[in-house]
Amino acid sequence: MVALYKSSLFSIVFAVLIATVLAEIRSTQIRSDSRPTIPFDEFGFTHFGRLNLTVTDISFSNPNSGPEPVPSELGFFLVTNEAWQHVLEQLQDGEIQCTLHSNLVKRVFTFDQLQPSARQFTTSFTVSDANQFTLVFANCMPNLVISMNVHSVMYNFNPKNGQLDFLSAGKTALPMIYFLFFIVYVLMGVFWVLTLYKKRLSVYGIHFFMLAVVMLKALNLVCEAEDKSYIKKTGTAHGWDVLFYIFSFLKGITLFTLIVLIGTGWSFLKPYLQDKEKNVLMIVIPLQVVANLAQVVIDETGPFSENSYTWKQVFLLVDIVCCCAVLFPIVWSIKNLREAAKTDGKAAVNLMKLTLFRQYYVIVICYIYFTRVVVYALETITSYRYQWTSVVAAEAATLAFYVFTGYNFRPKAHNPYFAIDDEEEEAASEALKLEDEFEL
């Protein structure tokens, strides 16, 4: 297990180091690419936006010995998502032959502006229309293959204080949001430590594991706050992204492990794990390594790189498998508690435990659904100015899940919880006979 953690950390750090760690300042290498449109990055501009573009080592080739490149048919432009749909319609209807000819795009630079025999250029473009734009390269010469290095810098200028903001308009509030959630988790960690001290006679190993999960989440948030803060001010993360990825990896591993351990009832119901429960952990942990590696590649290579779609599919598939896998131990515990309720004569205690685990099963499903589906939908339908709302929603849901888990599985002075009289025991026995009521 230790060797697995070490190799996982090395893989993630190595991926970060070899990637283009430039955040909103992005460098991209294009090699022998013949695509008619090559998207690079998207950014939410205010009325005082700016794009600085530097392209070097430009070279063309035509493997089919076709006509010479027409410089006016090659170039960079900015376009919104809404306008892009209309541009595609113009191409389909034959109104235009090249995306650069559309009046719906903002032409940044066309290659007919290049000096003769020049292989590089630098240009600046002012964006006065507040909207989210995507930087795109258009190649309207069929079969023409192009190679180049593209360095783009997008930012917004604040006329009030003269500062530059390298975060997209809808993400500029993220540093403060992450820092506020960091404070909340620190306070939660302090409260949990005090709880463990007061209830130290009834503390199990799982409770210390919960503390570790909370602290790793807090460290992940403070690193993300610093990461976004430096990007906001300078356009680069200054190494905070490496720490963020490390703690994000550890947080993801420990959270899924915690759900599995709680689902099995480890340490507070039984002091051991069965083989099938160990197998779930051995599936979840490597998959989380793959998921975090995929997330690093997606973040660092940009949303439109050639392999980005593949890595997104890998991340989605692995995440779904992990989310499904952690539900099995909870189902097994519910089944075991139901069977035990019929044989050990402790109906009230088993009913209480059974109800708790059923509630936890439902909450885990709700948490997974909200953070994987609802948050994505919110991010999709929300205006670019309010992209921060999806982050707040995801973090609020995660915080609520942590609070629910900590409250319901907190150390208890009585085990079982309270003394049960005969009437309560009889009522619990009758309730347990209603099998359909406890079906998943």
Side-chain angles (χ1 to χ4, degrees):
M1 185 69 70
V2 175
L4 177 60
Y5 272 97
K6 288 183 177 179
S7 62
S8 303
L9 280 174
F10 175 79
S11 300
I12 288 182
V13 173
F14 179 74
V16 172
L17 292 178
I18 63 173
T20 309
V21 190
L22 290 174
E24 306 304 321
I25 299 177
R26 195 176 300 279
S27 294
T28 308
Q29 291 184 343
I30 301 298
R31 293 291 178 267
S32 302
D33 201 321
S34 60
R35 286 179 291 172
T37 55
I38 305 175
F40 286 91
D41 208 354
E42 57 184 5
F43 190 82
F45 289 100
T46 64
H47 292 289
F48 303 94
R50 195 168 187 85
L51 162 66
N52 295 335
L53 183 65
T54 300
V55 181
T56 58
D57 297 331
I58 302 171
S59 62
F60 308 101
S61 63
N62 197 326
N64 297 329
S65 301
E68 289 294 320
V70 179
S72 61
E73 301 291 296
L74 305 166
F76 292 85
F77 63 89
L78 291 171
V79 65
T80 64
N81 290 334
E82 296 82 3
W84 182 244
Q85 301 300 322
H86 295 293
V87 172
L88 294 178
E89 292 176 2
Q90 289 179 330
L91 287 171
Q92 186 176 3
D93 296 339
E95 297 179 22
I96 58 174
Q97 300 302 317
C98 178
T99 51
L100 288 169
H101 300 162
S102 174
N103 59 347
L104 300 176
V105 305
K106 295 181 179 293
R107 284 181 290 276
V108 176
F109 189 90
T110 53
F111 281 21
D112 56 349
Q113 300 173 255
L114 277 174
Q115 298 296 326
S117 71
R119 297 185 58 209
Q120 62 183 32
F121 69 88
T122 299
T123 187
S124 293
F125 186 83
T126 300
V127 181
S128 57
D129 298 334
N131 210 326
Q132 180 159 303
F133 289 90
T134 301
L135 176 64
V136 183
F137 175 77
N139 176 4
C140 299
M141 297 292 298
N143 302 320
L144 182 67
V145 175
I146 187 169
S147 298
M148 57 184 171
N149 299 326
V150 180
H151 181 76
S152 60
V153 181
M154 292 184 276
Y155 58 89
N156 292 311
F157 176 75
N158 189 335
K160 295 181 180 179
N161 54 25
Q163 293 182 348
L164 306 183
D165 189 346
F166 290 88
L167 280 181
S168 181
K171 300 179 181 179
T172 188
L174 289 185
M176 181 59 67
I177 291 173
Y178 285 127
F179 186 75
L180 290 177
F181 275 103
F182 160 72
I183 296 297
V184 172
Y185 278 97
V186 169
L187 295 176
M188 185 189 299
V190 172
F191 177 79
W192 192 247
V193 170
L194 294 176
T195 301
L196 296 184
Y197 179 76
K198 291 179 181 179
K199 306 289 185 179
R200 55 188 176 277
L201 297 180
S202 55
V203 170
Y204 296 103
I206 193 69
H207 297 122
F208 291 106
F209 198 88
M210 290 180 183
L211 177 62
V213 172
V214 172
M215 291 295 97
L216 286 172
K217 177 63 177 178
L219 290 171
N220 173 247
L221 284 169
V222 73
C223 289
E224 189 156 15
E226 288 297 317
D227 174 60
K228 291 294 187 290
S229 179
Y230 273 97
I231 293 175
K232 178 183 175 73
K233 296 176 182 177
T234 66
T236 59
H238 291 265
W240 281 100
D241 50 346
V242 178
L243 291 175
F244 161 70
Y245 288 128
I246 292 175
F247 285 117
S248 180
F249 163 72
L250 294 175
K251 181 262 299 180
I253 289 287
T254 53
L255 177 59
F256 275 91
T257 302
L258 175 65
I259 295 174
V260 172
L261 293 178
I262 290 178
T264 62
W266 175 73
S267 81
F268 60 90
L269 287 184
K270 58 185 180 182
Y272 60 90
L273 294 177
Q274 298 177 351
D275 289 340
K276 61 181 180 181
E277 296 164 347
K278 293 178 182 178
N279 291 336
V280 172
L281 282 176
M282 296 308 296
I283 292 173
V284 168
I285 291 176
L287 287 178
Q288 276 296 296
V289 174
V290 176
N292 280 271
L293 182 59
Q295 189 62 58
V296 171
V297 175
I298 294 170
D299 290 345
E300 297 301 329
T301 58
F304 302 114
S305 64
E306 292 187 68
N307 297 324
S308 180
Y309 179 79
T310 301
W311 280 105
K312 286 179 181 178
Q313 297 302 309
V314 170
F315 174 79
L316 181 62
L317 176 62
V318 170
D319 195 48
I320 291 175
V321 173
C322 285
C323 291
C324 293
V326 298
L327 294 175
F328 284 104
I330 307 176
V331 175
W332 295 334
S333 292
I334 293 174
K335 181 180 178 182
N336 293 336
L337 286 170
R338 185 184 291 124
E339 293 174 352
K342 301 176 182 178
T343 58
D344 63 4
K346 298 179 180 179
V349 173
N350 284 315
L351 176 62
M352 196 177 302
K353 293 177 181 178
L354 185 58
T355 302
L356 176 59
F357 273 80
R358 283 177 52 81
Q359 289 176 348
Y360 191 64
Y361 175 83
V362 173
I363 291 299
V364 169
I365 291 179
C366 292
Y367 169 70
I368 291 172
Y369 179 80
F370 188 88
T371 54
R372 270 65 179 178
V373 179
V374 176
V375 170
Y376 175 77
L378 182 63
E379 184 179 355
T380 302
I381 65 177
T382 303
S383 170
Y384 79 98
R385 297 185 184 90
Y386 306 105
Q387 289 179 339
W388 56 270
T389 57
S390 61
V391 174
V392 172
E395 293 299 337
T398 302
L399 178 61
F401 179 72
Y402 278 45
V403 170
F404 175 87
T405 302
Y407 178 79
N408 285 277
F409 295 95
R410 67 192 184 278
K412 295 182 182 295
H414 302 281
N415 191 15
Y417 302 118
F418 302 103
I420 307 297
D421 57 31
D422 293 338
E423 292 184 0
E424 292 175 324
E425 184 71 17
E426 184 178 350
S429 298
E430 293 298 324
L432 285 170
K433 292 178 182 179
L434 304 175
E435 287 291 331
D436 292 341
E437 184 180 340
F438 294 96
E439 289 299 325
L440 293 176

